[in-house]
Amino acid sequence: GAVVSQHPSRVICKSGTSVKIECRSLDFQATTMFWYRQFPKQSLMLMATSNEGSKATYEQGVEKDKFLINHASLTLSTLTVTSAHPEDSSFYICSARDRGGGGYEQYFGPGTRLTVT
Amino acid sequence: AQSVTQPDIHITVSEGASLELRCNYSYGATPYLFWYVQSPGQGLQLLLKYFSGDTLVQGIKGFEAEFKRSQSSFNLRKPSVHWSDAAEYFCAVGRRAGGTSYGKLTFGQGTILTVHP
């Protein structure tokens, strides 16, 4: 149980285009999902907290208009990188908190490798 | 603000040897504490967690960790390391407070474990 998927696993896009990454909780409902960014050989940095049916809460320094987050249902959150640039190339990981599991534990997706050329 | 420090960036041990990975945290109250493991290019897998109660917690794959409030530490241990344990290990502290950021995790810098045969 408690499986989180991400799609796509890898994506290459051209500078200036937009890319959408999906995060799904497969066997549980997630009122809250989190989006992280991880640079090579570095730790995970929280980008934003996504709550179902409401606006995402962004961490300081994260551009809201560049990283659009939509949490349309209890099992799906999307991250759209708009007008992507090479510096946006990174490993993006989502996590989901189980609505019915006490609410403390996060389950992580396998990550999405974004390369902007 | 919560923070996590993993003092060791890289640790090398021989297969069969014991292991201890250090983690120190800063948090204004009793924290939620987690250890995750990440293989290259993959998401995070939860090894163990501490919420309350017994300060020695057992996890998967033979790992254990001990919460020491007086030292603000949550060190991860394994009595005998296997070659398959080679990976990167992250300690994280979780926010207990309410609001939209409830459950927000702050990660340490990570410790890369290399296992020699």
Side-chain angles (χ1 to χ4, degrees):
Chain A
V3 177
V4 176
S5 70
Q6 280 185 244
H7 178 80
S9 58
R10 291 179 176 270
V11 57
I12 301 173
C13 70
K14 293 187 177 180
S15 186
T17 62
S18 296
V19 173
K20 180 183 286 188
I21 302 170
E22 292 185 349
C23 177
R24 292 182 185 273
S25 56
L26 298 185
D27 49 5
F28 66 98
Q29 293 184 328
T31 50
T32 302
M33 291 184 172
F34 301 86
W35 286 96
Y36 297 85
R37 185 173 181 177
Q38 186 179 31
F39 290 106
K41 301 188 185 301
Q42 294 189 25
S43 187
L44 283 75
M45 298 299 295
L46 180 65
M47 298 175 65
T49 303
S50 168
N51 293 291
E52 187 265 338
S54 64
K55 291 184 178 181
T57 303
Y58 290 82
E59 295 300 300
Q60 190 173 4
V62 177
E63 299 176 60
K64 302 178 183 181
D65 295 332
K66 181 166 192 59
F67 299 100
L68 301 179
I69 292 172
N70 186 301
H71 194 154
S73 76
L74 287 173
T75 59
L76 174 65
S77 176
T78 60
L79 168 68
T80 301
V81 183
T82 62
S83 187
H85 291 284
E87 57 265 30
D88 298 323
S89 298
S90 189
F91 194 54
Y92 293 88
I93 303 177
C94 73
S95 70
R97 200 170 72 215
D98 188 347
R99 182 186 192 188
Y104 306 147
E105 189 169 327
Q106 293 180 30
Y107 302 95
F108 284 81
T112 296
R113 174 75 60 192
L114 171 63
T115 303
V116 184
T117 61
Chain B
Q2 59 208 61
S3 66
V4 180
T5 300
Q6 293 178 246
D8 304 306
I9 296 174
H10 197 167
I11 283 184
T12 300
V13 299
S14 297
E15 191 169 16
S18 63
L19 171 70
E20 183 170 30
L21 302 183
R22 296 182 291 165
C23 173
N24 293 97
Y25 68 89
S26 173
Y27 189 68
T30 301
Y32 297 144
L33 294 163
F34 305 85
W35 274 100
Y36 288 91
V37 60
Q38 184 182 34
S39 297
Q42 302 296 314
L44 275 70
Q45 181 182 22
L46 179 68
L47 288 175
L48 46 79
K49 61 195 177 193
Y50 171 78
F51 290 162
S52 63
D54 193 347
T55 56
L56 182 63
V57 294
Q58 303 296 321
I60 62 172
K61 303 184 179 184
F63 286 94
E64 66 177 26
E66 187 171 12
F67 169 56
K68 293 185 177 180
R69 184 190 304 274
S70 61
Q71 298 177 20
S72 297
S73 69
F74 189 57
N75 294 349
L76 181 72
R77 299 192 294 251
K78 187 170 184 177
S80 177
V81 171
H82 189 263
W83 64 267
S84 60
D85 293 325
E88 188 161 16
Y89 292 79
F90 292 95
C91 180
V93 59
R95 182 187 172 102
R96 282 184 181 254
T100 57
S101 293
Y102 175 73
K104 167 181 165 180
L105 292 179
T106 299
F107 285 85
Q109 300 91 322
T111 298
I112 297 172
L113 174 64
T114 298
V115 181
H116 281 321

